[in-house]
Amino acid sequence: MPRADDTRRGLKSIISCEGFGLHGGAAVHLRFVPAAPGSGIVFRRTDLDATIPARHDFVADTRLCTVLADPRHPEARIGTVEHVMASLAGLGIDDVLIEVDGPEVPILDGSAAEFVFLLTCAGIAESEAPREVIEILRPVRIADGAAFAELRPAGPDAEGFALALDIDFPARAIGRQAFSLDLSPARFTEDLSRARTFTMKDEIDALHEAGLARGGSLANAVVVDGGRVLNPEGLRYPDEFVRHKLLDVVGDLALAGAPIIGRFVGARTGHRLNNLLLRALFADPANYRRFETTVPEFAAVA
Ligand SMILES: [Zn+2]
């Protein structure tokens, strides 16, 4: 996934949820609305009547989460887009309008599980339109100290998107972890979607003092204190931390605007490096090619 004979996928019906923004703490409604094949993924701030395409070149901030903004209307920002974007990429959804009535996507339980549930409930519609995909033609790498993020060609027999990530945190409850997978709706749902965002207890104290992470709690994040996980329910996966960081990579790279055919390899990467990687990829047309999948029956009609 994506495969050369894929068609574009959208939603069958409208579905919505409400929750709180992680950083601002405000209540926000989110609505997934079916969109015509070819529209792509677009966010809409219903309170400001502003639309922002879910694309890497609209990323305005990556310090705590990935924030999109229209440069012409910088007040129209939408923060914490990475988990909902990961859900759409994981399920292979190309076209949907995401309406929110505030500056942040709701954090829900800190993972992508509730978005996957909502999107599955709404129903995924296969269109007859060919799918645009982005094939990586040569390695592109961004490094910052021990952290790096790299896209590589998929190899002669591969036609999907494979990802591998290493993390290394001083907190003993996390330490070194590695995880890899070939992206597909089943693997994303089973292996990544339930992994929650996480934070260190002393960082959450500092964020609260700075007026950030106002919506943050043990209900929507794993909180680590040295060797201990403070959430009474414990972890959802033994290596939940690296799985969540890989979920973030899937979401951030979904801002390429189309499924990627290639491989991602990274270590200790975050929203900033993930976005710089896409900017470096698209800075040189020799790095990639865009093409449309061929749809056998549809191609015969057209
Ligand atoms: Zn995250």
Side-chain angles (χ1 to χ4, degrees):
M1 219 267 314
R3 306 184 65 81
D5 58 354
D6 262 353
T7 55
R8 294 184 78 91
R9 295 191 190 113
L11 286 190
K12 287 183 178 164
S13 59
I14 293 176
I15 197 157
S16 61
C17 66
E18 55 182 281
F20 294 89
L22 176 63
H23 300 290
V28 57
H29 294 80
L30 178 146
R31 203 162 81 121
F32 292 110
V33 180
S39 347
I41 296 165
V42 176
F43 284 88
R44 190 168 126 76
R45 280 280 300 265
T46 54
D47 54 328
L48 297 176
D49 198 20
T51 56
I52 308 169
R55 282 209 331 251
H56 62 96
D57 46 338
F58 284 80
V59 170
D61 193 346
T62 54
R63 283 170 296 178
L64 294 169
C65 59
T66 297
V67 178
L68 297 174
D70 184 339
R72 293 165 303 172
H73 308 284
E75 75 287 358
R77 294 160 67 90
I78 300 179
T80 321
V81 300
E82 57 269 20
H83 304 160
V84 70
M85 289 305 300
S87 310
L88 294 164
L91 297 178
I93 295 170
D94 304 282
D95 302 301
V96 66
L97 175 65
I98 307 169
E99 294 181 343
V100 288
D101 63 357
E104 264 187 276
V105 172
I107 189 69
L108 303 177
D109 72 350
S111 77
E114 295 187 41
F115 293 124
V116 167
F117 175 75
L118 285 168
L119 294 164
T120 307
C121 288
I124 294 168
E126 304 247 355
S127 76
E128 293 195 323
R131 198 173 201 196
E132 187 191 64
V133 294
I134 295 164
E135 181 182 9
I136 307 300
L137 298 181
R138 62 182 193 186
V140 178
R141 181 183 175 100
I142 296 285
D144 181 9
F148 76 92
E150 184 171 334
L151 284 166
R152 300 176 183 166
D157 300 325
E159 55 182 12
F161 191 26
L163 301 104
L165 181 68
D166 284 24
I167 60 169
D168 191 356
F169 279 77
R172 278 175 295 116
I174 306 176
R176 290 195 69 162
Q177 298 186 354
F179 196 78
S180 60
L181 92 169
D182 292 330
L183 192 63
S184 70
R187 291 294 311 273
F188 179 80
T189 302
E190 287 165 25
D191 295 342
L192 294 190
S193 75
R194 297 177 59 248
R196 291 162 295 174
T197 191
F198 59 92
T199 185
M200 307 304 137
K201 185 180 178 300
D202 48 357
E203 280 174 17
I204 227 178
D205 295 343
L207 284 172
H208 283 152
E209 274 170 31
L212 295 164
R214 290 195 198 106
S217 77
L218 293 173
N220 53 37
V222 178
V223 181
V224 173
D225 188 9
R228 289 195 308 143
V229 168
L230 299 187
N231 305 58
E233 74 281 9
L235 296 176
R236 293 177 174 180
Y237 309 93
D239 51 358
E240 185 167 357
F241 306 102
V242 68
R243 290 180 194 237
H244 184 81
K245 286 291 185 186
L246 195 51
L247 187 162
D248 282 341
V249 169
V250 171
D252 285 338
L253 296 188
L255 296 173
I260 291 171
I261 295 182
R263 284 192 296 150
F264 169 87
V265 182
R268 307 186 194 192
T269 183
H271 302 305
R272 182 175 148 269
L273 282 196
N274 298 340
N275 184 247
L276 289 175
L277 181 62
L278 286 185
R279 290 178 189 264
L281 172 71
F282 292 115
D284 187 340
N287 292 336
Y288 66 97
R289 79 176 174 114
R290 290 178 190 271
F291 67 95
E292 288 196 337
T293 55
T294 50
V295 183
E297 300 92 320
F298 188 72
V301 175

